[in-house]
Structure formats: C-alpha cells, structure tokens
Amino acid sequence: HFAMDGMLRAGHQELVRPFLGWLTRVAARSQPGERPFYFVHDYDGDRPWGDDPTYQVLAAYAGAAIRYYETTRDQEALRLWIYPVLKRVADYTRQQLVSLQNGQWRFRVAIANDVGVPAVGDASETGMLAWLMTALAKAVEYGQALGEPDTVLAPWREVVEATRQAPYDWSQPTMWWVWLPYLTAAEPFYRKETWIAGRSEEHTSELQSLTNL
C-alpha cells in the first residue's frame, strides 16, 4: 500500500498496474464467503501465509485500489481491477466480519493489531472497521457507475448509510489509532472532533508528521 502510494505521488502509474492485476487475480481465486486477502501470500497468490486475524490487510489492499482510481480516473482499470477487488472485500466484510449491534455495525470476529499479537474478541475496535466502511462505500459508488444491479449493492449500502448516520466515537485510542485518517481515508465514518480530543501527548509528534504527508 505505502509503496504504491509513493509511486502514484511520484507519477509512476505504470509501476502500480501490475500490483493491481495481482490483487485482482488473488481476489478471483477466493470462493464466495472466503477471505480474499491475508497478511502474506505466495507471490502467485495461491497460498496464504496463514489464517491470521489481521483484517486490516483487506483495508490496505482496498485502499491501494481506491487510491489508484481516485488519482487516475482510469475507467478500464475501474472495470478490470478496482471494482473486482473492492467487491470481494465488501462481500467478505458484510457477510463474515460485521453485524448490527445496539444500532451500530461492529466487528463480530476477533481481530489482531498485527501478526502474532493476541486478538481482541469484543466489538470495541472501530478503527480498522472505519477503514473497511470506506471500502464498502467506494464499492457502492463504483458499482453504481458500472451498472451493478442494486441487489448486489444494497447489503453494502445498508451498512454504509447506517454508519454515516451514527459515526464512530474515537475519543479513546483504538488499534492503529494514529493512522486512522490515512489508510482508506476513514473520515466519513468517525467524528473527527472526538479523534482530535482523544489525542494524547505521546502521539502529538507522530500525528503532526502524518498531517504533513
């Protein structure tokens, strides 16, 4: 994700396209209901490194696809690569990762901050979730542009619109808290004032460096 973002910022769009092709091939090999992306795949995408609960990788790959399209507006890439990747991420997120809990869509699975780190099994983690909400929202937007039937888009739209109406409170740091505005631009799904209010002194310098990106 970060390497691709740097290439786009430097104007090397041609170096990013092979990565998007790889993402599409990996996603296509997953069956309905199966997780499309893991933390590490073999180079050919055939075998995941392990079934670890680091679901943020779904957001990272979705974010890479989103960033390419938002930068280039490449319609052929949207049809061949971008939307197929987002569709698999959106389907898996909606079917396997989230459920409606007390009026908000929350994780219903254990999730981990990183590989080898114990997973958190409750619904308190909203940082990675907001990244995935952005992926769902873009899947709806791009699907509409491509003429995807509403029967496909409606389950994703349900989650997105409910979360827009009740954005997450980030006054208490979550996993990867300092990075939350970056990976897929999660701003539509959290109340920015609560994130700012929750900043602690130890995060100030890192937050400033992110602001300057």
Side-chain angles (χ1 to χ4, degrees), residues 8-182:
L8 285 176
R9 289 172 185 266
H12 296 299
Q13 298 172 6
E14 73 284 356
L15 298 179
V16 177
R17 296 185 187 109
F19 175 60
L20 296 174
W22 181 83
L23 288 181
T24 306
R25 291 191 298 274
V26 172
R29 288 172 179 168
S30 62
Q31 299 300 312
E34 289 183 349
R35 180 175 170 179
F37 300 115
Y38 293 82
F39 195 87
V40 178
H41 279 276
D42 284 352
Y43 75 93
D44 60 4
D46 279 339
R47 294 187 299 277
W49 178 75
D51 189 15
D52 58 86
T54 51
Y55 296 110
Q56 62 268 39
V57 72
L58 299 173
Y61 287 158
I66 292 167
R67 185 66 58 88
Y68 180 86
Y69 179 67
E70 296 294 327
T71 300
T72 67
R73 293 293 171 176
D74 182 335
Q75 296 300 306
E76 183 180 28
L78 177 65
R79 180 176 57 84
L80 293 178
W81 300 326
I82 310 302
Y83 181 66
V85 168
L86 290 181
K87 183 175 182 178
R88 291 295 299 116
V89 170
D91 270 342
Y92 185 79
T93 299
R94 178 66 175 82
Q95 295 173 16
Q96 305 296 329
L97 299 185
V98 299
S99 63
L100 192 60
Q101 303 174 37
N102 299 319
Q104 273 197 327
W105 289 89
R106 296 294 185 105
F107 278 122
R108 62 181 179 89
V109 295
I111 51 178
N113 193 13
D114 210 335
V115 172
V117 176
V120 175
D122 61 26
S124 64
E125 172 55 42
T126 57
M128 295 178 200
L129 187 52
W131 285 338
L132 289 168
M133 288 297 167
T134 294
L136 263 69
K138 289 297 182 180
V140 172
E141 177 186 335
Y142 299 162
Q144 287 177 326
L146 292 171
E148 184 77 278
D150 197 63
T151 51
V152 174
L153 305 179
W156 311 337
R157 186 186 297 113
E158 176 189 15
V159 177
V160 168
E161 294 307 317
T163 309
R164 287 191 194 280
Q165 295 301 314
Y168 301 118
D169 181 346
W170 286 355
S171 58
Q172 297 300 312
T174 62
M175 295 181 188
W176 297 81
W177 186 71
V178 74
W179 295 97
L180 295 183
Y182 181 64

